[in-house]
Amino acid sequence: MTPDPALDLVLQRLIDVPRELVWEVWTKPEHVSKWFTPAPWTVTDCEIDLRPGGIFRTTMRSPEGLEFPNVGCYLEVVPYERLVFTDALLPGYRPSANPFMTAIVTIEARGLQTLYTATALHRDEEARKRHEEMGFHQGWGTALDQLVAYAKQL
Amino acid sequence: MTPDPALDLVLQRLIDVPRELVWEVWTKPEHVSKWFTPAPWTVTDCEIDLRPGGIFRTTMRSPEGLEFPNVGCYLEVVPYERLVFTDALLPGYRPSANPFMTAIVTIEARGLQTLYTATALHRDEEARKRHEEMGFHQGWGTALDQLVAYAKQL
């Protein structure tokens, strides 16, 4: 799929972590909770059922101590290559009450490095703009910095 | 997945059509257009890209000649067993503007017959009720009668 600049947001970067390790830290709850939210936000809970239709749930805690649960559903799980999930569907593919985005994460080996591409798909320009204003580029960029730092010390 | 009576609608019937043929008439545009809408409604156009993320699009025409396009996306395609699609996502998994339901069609061989189960998943009771009032049971039942009659003369 080619991203649509009006509707989609893309973060792409060559990172200094092998592809297999990127996959690991994206797909196991004990890892996700270590890097997924830009500090000082934290992940207090994470549930992963890694198959199409399976749950991907995180609870994010703000610096003030407020908790924000996010529940979504995996759509594609291609080990070491591609992970797709959405909050437009709940586990088991039930439509959700507050759909916002679908995320596509692709990873490609580049020697010992990895070409990392995260794409957020939105239903309209308004949702894309809102996500941009919420800080997509900085937020997902900082989370990726944290992923790299965390993975390197594993 | 076990259907939730508060949120889901289920049509289950043993039909006198072999499983392979049920799959065929569900997955090829030239067949879908022959049975998919209860007469006197018709399907004037159908597009199928039979893979997860691929398009499932039909245009239904009312007896008065009004056309209603429906665009959705396949989620699971398991030949001769299971077909899942939703209008909560557009092709390529982009969230849609007007999500309503996910449909799960499962077929199981019972000798030369087929146990046919179609489940519609909704996000809340209101959507389930609305679908019921739109005539889910009669509509999907009549469409299934048409599927059986059409398949038998192939």
Side-chain angles (χ1 to χ4, degrees):
Chain A
M1 204 216 55
T2 309
D4 178 339
L7 300 176
D8 305 329
L9 294 168
V10 181
L11 172 73
Q12 186 172 65
R13 200 193 294 173
L14 194 62
I15 59 173
D16 202 18
V17 177
R19 181 175 66 151
E20 292 72 13
L21 196 49
V22 178
W23 183 261
E24 287 298 303
V25 299
W26 251 105
T27 55
K28 294 196 171 146
E30 63 271 29
H31 295 320
V32 168
S33 59
K34 300 297 198 306
W35 65 267
F36 196 64
T37 44
W41 284 65
T42 56
V43 173
T44 57
D45 198 17
C46 177
E47 184 180 357
I48 288 177
D49 180 9
L50 198 63
R51 59 187 175 90
I55 194 169
F56 179 40
R57 181 176 63 78
T58 53
T59 302
M60 302 182 184
R61 185 184 296 189
S62 77
E64 296 77 27
L66 293 176
E67 298 209 329
F68 298 85
N70 296 276
V71 181
C73 164
Y74 290 107
L75 299 170
E76 289 191 16
V77 177
V78 185
Y80 311 119
E81 288 184 20
R82 181 176 160 87
L83 194 60
V84 183
F85 59 94
T86 189
D87 62 14
L89 299 171
L90 301 177
Y93 303 123
R94 183 181 305 287
S96 73
N98 294 301
F100 182 55
M101 68 152 187
T102 295
I104 302 177
V105 177
T106 60
I107 48 181
E108 296 169 49
R110 292 283 190 273
L112 293 178
Q113 296 184 304
T114 297
L115 180 63
Y116 178 97
T117 310
T119 305
L121 309 180
H122 308 91
R123 67 180 182 188
D124 52 26
E125 280 197 49
E126 190 279 329
R128 189 265 301 157
K129 280 185 190 160
R130 187 151 49 99
H131 201 178
E132 219 163 13
E133 287 160 10
M134 283 164 61
F136 168 85
H137 291 288
Q138 190 182 348
W140 288 39
T142 300
L144 183 55
D145 292 340
Q146 295 176 172
L147 181 156
V148 171
Y150 174 69
K152 281 188 174 181
Q153 53 81 52
L154 279 180
Chain B
M1 206 216 54
T2 309
D4 178 339
L7 300 176
D8 305 328
L9 295 168
V10 182
L11 172 73
Q12 187 172 66
R13 201 193 293 173
L14 195 61
I15 60 174
D16 201 18
V17 177
R19 181 175 65 151
E20 292 73 13
L21 196 48
V22 178
W23 182 261
E24 287 296 303
V25 300
W26 252 104
T27 54
K28 295 196 170 145
E30 64 270 30
H31 295 321
V32 168
S33 58
K34 299 297 199 306
W35 65 267
F36 195 65
T37 44
W41 285 65
T42 56
V43 173
T44 57
D45 197 17
C46 177
E47 184 180 357
I48 288 177
D49 180 9
L50 197 63
R51 59 187 174 90
I55 194 169
F56 179 39
R57 182 177 62 79
T58 53
T59 302
M60 303 183 182
R61 184 183 297 188
S62 77
E64 297 77 26
L66 293 177
E67 297 208 330
F68 299 85
N70 295 276
V71 181
C73 164
Y74 290 106
L75 299 170
E76 288 191 17
V77 176
V78 186
Y80 311 121
E81 288 185 20
R82 179 176 162 89
L83 194 60
V84 183
F85 58 93
T86 189
D87 62 15
L89 298 172
L90 301 177
Y93 303 123
R94 183 182 304 288
S96 73
N98 294 300
F100 182 56
M101 69 152 188
T102 295
I104 301 177
V105 178
T106 60
I107 49 181
E108 295 169 48
R110 290 285 189 272
L112 294 177
Q113 296 184 304
T114 298
L115 180 63
Y116 178 98
T117 310
T119 305
L121 309 180
H122 308 90
R123 67 179 182 189
D124 52 26
E125 281 197 49
E126 190 278 330
R128 190 266 301 159
K129 279 184 190 160
R130 187 151 49 99
H131 202 177
E132 218 162 14
E133 287 161 10
M134 283 163 60
F136 168 85
H137 292 288
Q138 190 181 349
W140 288 38
T142 300
L144 183 56
D145 292 341
Q146 294 176 174
L147 180 157
V148 172
Y150 173 70
K152 281 188 172 179
Q153 52 82 54
L154 279 179

